[in-house]
Amino acid sequence: MASDTDLAALSCQAMMDVPRIRPVLDKIADKWTIMILTVLCPEPARFNAIKRRLDGITHKSLADALKRLERHGLITRTVIPSAPIGVVYAITPLGHSLRAPFEALCDWALAHEQAFAEAALAYDRARAA
């Protein structure tokens, strides 16, 4: 475990790096990005296949997210000349580089799901009292 001095130094450095970090995190830490990249990680998929796998995402939210991810180089969009024209989305090497951190985050969420829910419940009870 890091000492308090190390943690203070790391915190100070992180605060200095916020102007560089925040714009990137704003693009990858939104509501749907992790889930979309998780769907595309094993294999490319068409729009409706992605939408079916992401219960609750609206057509507009998915379209906007896919455009944003393509713009930032995390996915590619390939038009398939067929009748009707199809579009396939695939994860890029840059997108794949997020796999390990996203898997760690998902593992953390699963491991701490109960504690997370209990903490919120305890907080709500304390506020209601």
Side-chain angles (χ1 to χ4, degrees):
M1 178 118 191
S3 72
D4 288 344
T5 303
D6 293 339
L7 291 175
L10 289 171
S11 177
C12 183
Q13 183 61 49
M15 292 307 296
M16 291 181 357
D17 290 339
V18 164
R20 293 176 52 213
I21 295 169
R22 184 170 179 174
V24 175
L25 291 181
D26 285 347
K27 306 299 183 287
I28 63 168
D30 62 46
K31 183 174 181 177
W32 293 110
T33 296
I34 293 172
M35 300 310 298
I36 292 169
L37 292 177
T38 300
V39 167
L40 293 176
C41 200
E43 62 185 2
R46 295 179 107 167
F47 184 95
N48 284 330
I50 298 167
K51 190 170 183 313
R52 277 191 300 275
R53 299 232 3 234
L54 298 175
D55 186 36
I57 193 167
T58 66
H59 184 93
K60 181 178 179 355
S61 292
L62 180 56
D64 291 348
L66 290 169
K67 286 176 190 171
R68 186 180 62 255
L69 294 172
E70 181 184 12
R71 179 174 184 250
H72 293 289
L74 299 174
I75 64 169
T76 59
R77 178 182 185 271
T78 304
V79 176
I80 300 169
S82 60
I85 291 177
V87 177
V88 172
Y89 296 92
I91 196 165
T92 64
L94 181 60
H96 267 294
S97 71
L98 287 168
R99 184 176 179 180
F102 283 177
E103 283 178 355
L105 186 57
C106 289
D107 289 345
W108 181 90
L110 290 172
H112 297 90
E113 175 184 22
Q114 186 66 33
F116 202 71
E118 289 170 2
L121 191 56
Y123 177 88
D124 292 344
R125 283 185 186 141
R127 298 289 255 173

